[in-house]
Amino acid sequence: MTSSELWTRATADRYDTEETEMSSAAVLGPTLAFLTELAGDGPALEFAIGTGRVGVPLRERGVPVVGIELSEHMAAVLRRKIDEGTLPVAIGDMATTVVPGEFTLVYLVYNTITNLLTQDEQVECFRNAARHLGPGGRFVIEVGVPPLRFLPPGQVAVPFDVSEQHLGFDTFDLVEQVLVSHHFTRDGDDGHYRRGNSRHRYAWLAELDLMARLAGLELERRVADWEGTPFTQDSAKHISVWRKPT
């Protein structure tokens, strides 16, 4: 079903090294605290669990975690960290793959909802989350707010990182609601840069809320970060929590 781009073995093998900041205690501490509170005494399901950046330490906190992951290469990296019996992972897309059990929490972090490149697939992702939730369970998404306010007339690109090791910018197709993230990453000290890009479908908050309503979920909370900072018109991202009615 999915239009998501598949992560290769080379990308999976270097993913953790390139995401050291996102794996730091400063980032993961508030993330894990937020998710642990929502999971309560029940199990959690992570859509697009990847290499286990969040799922593995959440499991180590005592929350039973199950994952769904499209890339076998990403799942293989996760499997080096934790065994299948402790953290099961189903290979498949997050819009249609069903795993056994009922969960108090389904979560999808780090902009990954945008990997689904059509509105229909994003709608099905919400429905799949609702399918796995028990009454009162929550679906949580972490995703950036489309930075279109930075686009003056005639401009189609917005930089998001300019550093010694990395140059990143997004280009936008405003009709299709698709952005392409372009990366130039320095490899070693020989002055060479590796080029890569990925496609994403961005969605507005009202659109995401409507997807949730179509899935039978109700917005419970929206904040600007895992620390719970109030969400405002200037927030660069949002953590949204939708609840399945009891």
Side-chain angles (χ1 to χ4, degrees):
M1 152 122 194
T2 185
S3 61
S4 298
E5 297 175 347
L6 193 61
W7 292 70
T8 65
R9 175 176 295 176
T11 303
D13 286 343
R14 61 175 175 257
Y15 181 82
D16 286 347
T17 300
E18 294 184 347
E19 295 293 345
T20 53
E21 181 181 353
M22 293 300 296
S23 300
S24 67
V27 172
L28 278 182
T31 305
L32 297 174
F34 193 106
L35 296 175
T36 299
E37 180 181 0
L38 289 182
D41 296 327
L45 172 62
E46 181 171 357
F47 284 174
I49 194 169
T51 65
R53 179 184 67 89
V54 174
V56 171
L58 187 62
R59 181 65 185 89
E60 291 171 347
R61 284 197 170 205
V63 178
V65 177
V66 176
I68 294 175
E69 173 55 43
L70 182 63
S71 169
E72 294 186 24
H73 300 302
M74 295 288 277
V77 175
L78 178 149
R79 196 53 65 217
R80 299 171 197 164
K81 306 172 185 177
I82 195 166
D83 64 85
E84 174 73 18
T86 306
L87 201 166
V89 175
I91 302 299
D93 71 85
M94 57 187 168
T96 63
T97 302
V98 177
V99 299
E102 187 175 87
F103 300 85
T104 58
L105 174 66
V106 178
Y107 64 96
L108 179 56
V109 299
Y110 203 16
N111 299 318
T112 312
I113 184 68
T114 68
N115 289 359
L116 297 170
L117 297 177
T118 70
Q119 185 184 69
D120 286 345
E121 288 176 349
Q122 292 179 353
V123 167
E124 289 305 315
C125 181
F126 273 80
R127 285 177 171 155
N128 200 30
R131 182 181 297 124
H132 286 91
L133 288 172
R138 277 99 169 184
F139 182 35
V140 178
I141 284 182
E142 174 193 23
V143 65
V145 175
L148 300 190
R149 294 170 66 190
F150 294 101
L151 282 176
Q155 181 174 313
V156 296
V158 174
F160 59 84
D161 185 34
V162 179
S163 63
E164 184 69 21
Q165 298 297 321
H166 178 254
L167 169 64
F169 62 93
D170 292 329
T171 55
F172 293 83
D173 181 330
L174 302 182
V175 175
E176 298 296 330
Q177 286 185 216
V178 170
L179 68 85
V180 180
S181 287
H182 304 264
H183 301 269
F184 292 85
T185 306
R186 188 170 184 175
D187 272 336
D189 297 320
D190 58 3
H192 287 85
Y193 282 78
R194 182 181 69 257
R195 179 177 181 176
N197 61 71
S198 59
R199 293 185 301 151
H200 306 267
R201 182 188 187 272
Y202 61 87
W204 301 102
L205 281 76
E207 186 181 4
L208 294 171
D209 287 342
L210 183 56
M211 293 180 189
R213 288 178 60 189
L214 292 172
L217 305 175
E218 302 170 348
L219 181 65
E220 181 178 72
R221 185 183 183 195
R222 175 167 288 134
V223 291
D225 52 39
W226 296 107
E227 288 86 357
T229 303
F231 181 82
T232 72
Q233 64 179 1
D234 296 319
S235 299
K237 74 173 184 179
H238 61 97
I239 314 296
S240 294
V241 182
W242 296 277
R243 186 172 182 267
K244 187 172 184 177
T246 56

